[in-house]
Amino acid sequence: EAGIPVSPRCNADCLGCISKQPAECCPAPQSRIDFIPERQEIVELAVEHLEEAPDGIISFGQGCEGEPSLQKELLTQALRAIREKTAKGTLNINSNAGDTGAIKALSESGLDSIRVSLFSALPEHYNWYHRPQGYTLANVRESLQSASANKLRVALNLLFYPGFSNREEETAALKELIAATGVHQIQLRNL
């Protein structure tokens, strides 16, 4: 799996972000890029990796590096150009899925899979952890439904906090979200 960062900013302010932390907190273990790459740079890296790596994957948005869907125009162009050059491998986005229009456009431009980070399927708890800016959990749900409808492989990157995430109301809300949106896989990330 080759990660290609494309966005220096994010539309969430997650408590556990590993690329941006307030100065009084522990230092972030990785930094965000401070530029936006050119389409051709993305395409060259992606095509070479997909052509050479067995079962290669290109992932946009690895490890809190910034929200890739905020670069919708760049990514839709890059995805189309990559698929013009190779049908090999998987094109994936790791996202908060807050921008439903962007997720839909990316789904229609050659994206194969999406992994959405989620702390809770309950709006109050979702907002407490993710601190979304300009979107809601309802937008995330709509993005998941859109991705499923466009035949993407849909996974949740479930940020699991023992004693909280496994409470009855959390489990019920998660089960309902999965049933309503067509999620295929859950990957647990122990907090």
Side-chain angles (χ1 to χ4, degrees), residues 17 21 31 62 90:
C17 182
Q21 289 291 329
S31 299
Q62 293 283 77
T90 300

Side-chain angles (χ1 to χ4, degrees), residues 35-73:
F35 67 97
I36 298 170
E38 298 291 325
R39 180 185 62 85
Q40 192 55 36
E41 293 174 306
I42 297 167
V43 173
E44 287 174 10
L45 286 169
V47 169
E48 183 165 339
H49 177 72
L50 294 174
E51 286 292 317
E52 299 298 323
D55 301 319
I57 300 171
I58 296 297
S59 281
F60 303 102
Q62 293 283 77
C64 302
E65 67 189 19
E67 175 52 42
S69 68
L70 297 178
Q71 299 301 324
K72 176 182 83 169
E73 295 304 321

Side-chain angles (χ1 to χ4, degrees), residues 118-168:
L118 185 78
F119 178 74
S120 174
L122 292 170
E124 178 184 352
H125 298 154
Y126 180 89
N127 291 339
W128 172 80
Y129 181 86
H130 292 283
R131 300 185 295 194
Q133 300 166 1
Y135 73 94
T136 67
L137 180 58
N139 298 115
V140 176
R141 290 175 66 96
E142 188 178 344
S143 293
L144 291 169
Q145 289 169 326
S146 175
S148 290
N150 279 302
K151 308 288 189 238
L152 269 65
R153 177 100 177 130
V154 180
L156 290 181
N157 196 32
L158 185 62
L159 307 174
F160 191 85
Y161 191 75
F164 178 83
S165 303
N166 53 332
R167 293 182 349 191
E168 190 173 322

Side-chain angles (χ1 to χ4, degrees), residues 99-127:
D99 186 337
T100 302
I103 298 302
K104 185 174 190 300
L106 295 167
S107 298
E108 296 169 351
S109 298
L111 198 64
D112 298 302
S113 65
I114 182 170
R115 183 169 50 222
V116 176
S117 292
L118 185 78
F119 178 74
S120 174
L122 292 170
E124 178 184 352
H125 298 154
Y126 180 89
N127 291 339

